[in-house]
Amino acid sequence: MARKKKKKHSSGLYRKSVTVGRKPDGTPIRQYVYGETQSECEDKIAQIRIDKKMGVVVTDKRSTWGYWAGVWKAIKYKQIGKSTQDMYNSALNHLAPLDGRTASELTSVDLLMIVSEMEAAGYAKRTIKAVIQTAAQICALARKNRAMMIDITEDIKAPKDAPEKKRTALDKSVQDAIWNVKPLPSDNDTDTYRAKRLPLARMLALMTLCCGLRRGETVALSWADVDLKNRCISVSHSYDFKAGKGKDPKTAAGIRKVPVPNRFLLELTEWKKSCPPSLLVFPGGAGHISESEHSNLWDTLLDAINGITVSQRISAGRTKKKPVAIITRKIEFTSHDLRHTFATNSVAKGVDIKTLQYIIGHAKAETLLDIYAHFSQEAWDAAALILDGKLGSGDETAKKVETG
């Protein structure tokens, strides 16, 4: 039987040391780090050198772009949520051709080739910008630690002609479909289970559509945060799906009070009465709703809106010719699409940009309109009436927008 390799410290972990200074007599002052693997220790030592602005002794092993991308990832990912990590993972995949290259030998041409290939493949400008911004952060870390002399992103910009995919608000018919969605007929256990879960999926969607909460904020919401009497929700924390625990907002703007519209207030009041006792407004199978649970709930909602049952999917899969009308959703949206729609609806009803910034929990008002608020025909119709002098108060304007 092969003997298990003995680890280097009595604790069962690997241990390494780094010299962080010297005593008056010249004796080195050492700081020890521990890790499950050798590379974990090396990453911790790199972080110590960064924090103390010592620089890193570059060896062949640590001189590659891939090494510095890995160190940057280990540091950066501790500070961000899963959705942002997914965005960075995509950017790192595009930058992967540089991984085996010596960082100090890279030039802007190497990055420009990646950008050009992405443009030729039809990637959106936003995706290309994310790759350039990720590369800039890796360059900054490597330069701080004397592994690179230049910033290879300095003269690189996303091509002007790259397609721009802009998120649009959901039209009124789709919003109405969420409000009016009903369970589909079921003839098997899976469809029956989905029918029971649909009210939860619907309420999750309506919370974002009516109040603008982020997905993690909705999942983290407890009844202690909901003041039905005063029609408001206190948002002070979120849920990290990757870590499986609560987390504080990224900025102070994330802590806020959000008004609850009358129509949704009635739904929320009935929801509290109908649900089993729970601290959470939207409880999962074992506490908070998990990433996979949320995904399944969203599929349940979209399939119900599109009139697609599991039985139909199975039947379509057994035929050689799959009926497109059965297996393809005509209506698709994400929770973030609902947040965009909430912002657009708020602007259409006359909410000023500073107030919307507070309600939606956005740190910068100047970028809020570009990111979240979009053109809608209902808002245009209301504006035309205002300019004609046919509407007076803001309440009348809001009423007109709501009724279409």
Side-chain angles (χ1 to χ4, degrees), residues 79-108:
Q79 311 163 10
I80 58 178
K82 185 180 183 303
S83 59
T84 308
Q85 289 179 14
D86 290 342
M87 183 272 289
Y88 280 129
N89 285 335
S90 175
L92 290 171
N93 286 337
H94 288 292
L95 293 168
L98 305 180
D99 284 353
R101 303 278 301 278
T102 301
S104 60
E105 296 177 354
L106 293 173
T107 68
S108 58

Side-chain angles (χ1 to χ4, degrees), residues 68-85:
W68 288 105
V71 173
W72 170 82
K73 182 177 178 179
I75 298 169
K76 184 74 175 181
Y77 280 31
K78 295 176 182 178
Q79 311 163 10
I80 58 178
K82 185 180 183 303
S83 59
T84 308
Q85 289 179 14

Side-chain angles (χ1 to χ4, degrees), residues 237-404:
H237 52 286
S238 185
Y239 185 72
D240 187 336
F241 288 99
K242 182 178 178 62
K245 62 180 181 180
K247 65 177 182 179
D248 294 329
K250 290 189 290 185
T251 67
I255 302 174
R256 61 202 191 276
K257 286 187 180 295
V258 177
V260 181
N262 281 330
R263 185 181 182 187
F264 185 57
L265 181 68
L266 297 174
E267 294 276 349
L268 203 54
T269 302
E270 291 303 313
W271 177 253
K272 186 175 184 180
K273 292 178 182 178
S274 64
C275 289
S278 172
L279 295 176
L280 295 171
V281 178
F282 307 112
H288 288 89
I289 293 173
S290 67
E291 177 79 8
S292 59
E293 277 184 288
H294 194 281
S295 178
N296 289 334
L297 285 165
W298 213 256
D299 282 337
T300 297
L301 176 66
L302 292 176
D303 278 353
I305 289 174
N306 285 276
I308 302 172
T309 65
V310 173
S311 295
Q312 289 171 324
R313 287 192 180 279
I314 293 173
S315 298
R318 288 174 178 167
T319 62
K320 293 182 179 180
K321 294 182 179 181
K322 298 182 180 181
V324 176
I326 292 178
I327 63 172
T328 300
R329 292 172 182 159
K330 294 181 179 180
I331 298 174
E332 286 268 12
F333 55 83
T334 66
S335 59
H336 209 60
D337 290 329
L338 297 180
R339 184 166 152 85
H340 279 245
T341 303
F342 166 79
T344 300
N345 289 346
S346 298
V347 172
K349 294 176 182 179
V351 177
D352 67 271
I353 189 64
K354 290 298 291 183
T355 302
L356 178 58
Q357 177 197 357
Y358 171 80
I359 292 173
I360 209 167
H362 203 272
K364 296 181 180 180
E366 58 269 21
T367 58
L368 183 61
L369 279 173
D370 288 338
I371 296 175
Y372 289 109
H374 307 281
F375 171 83
S376 70
Q377 186 60 48
E378 291 84 0
W380 190 95
D381 292 340
L385 289 172
I386 291 171
L387 292 172
D388 283 339
K390 294 180 180 179
L391 283 180
S393 68
D395 289 341
E396 290 174 335
T397 303
K399 183 177 180 181
K400 176 63 180 178
V401 173
E402 286 182 347
T403 59

Side-chain angles (χ1 to χ4, degrees), residues 74-177:
I75 298 169
K76 184 74 175 181
Y77 280 31
K78 295 176 182 178
Q79 311 163 10
I80 58 178
K82 185 180 183 303
S83 59
T84 308
Q85 289 179 14
D86 290 342
M87 183 272 289
Y88 280 129
N89 285 335
S90 175
L92 290 171
N93 286 337
H94 288 292
L95 293 168
L98 305 180
D99 284 353
R101 303 278 301 278
T102 301
S104 60
E105 296 177 354
L106 293 173
T107 68
S108 58
V109 173
D110 296 301
L111 180 59
L112 182 60
M113 290 179 65
I114 291 176
V115 169
S116 298
E117 289 174 0
M118 291 182 69
E119 181 188 13
Y123 282 96
K125 183 178 291 186
R126 183 178 181 181
T127 303
I128 297 175
K129 282 183 177 180
V131 170
I132 297 171
Q133 290 166 0
T134 302
Q137 294 183 53
I138 297 171
C139 281
L141 177 62
R143 292 179 70 197
K144 183 185 289 186
N145 291 278
R146 305 172 190 172
M148 295 180 72
M149 294 296 293
I150 64 170
D151 178 358
I152 64 172
T153 70
E154 190 172 2
D155 299 320
I156 306 296
K157 295 182 179 179
K160 292 182 179 180
D161 295 333
E164 292 193 66
K165 183 180 179 181
K166 292 188 176 181
R167 197 183 297 269
T168 57
L170 303 180
D171 63 39
K172 190 175 182 302
S173 64
V174 177
Q175 296 178 52
D176 289 342

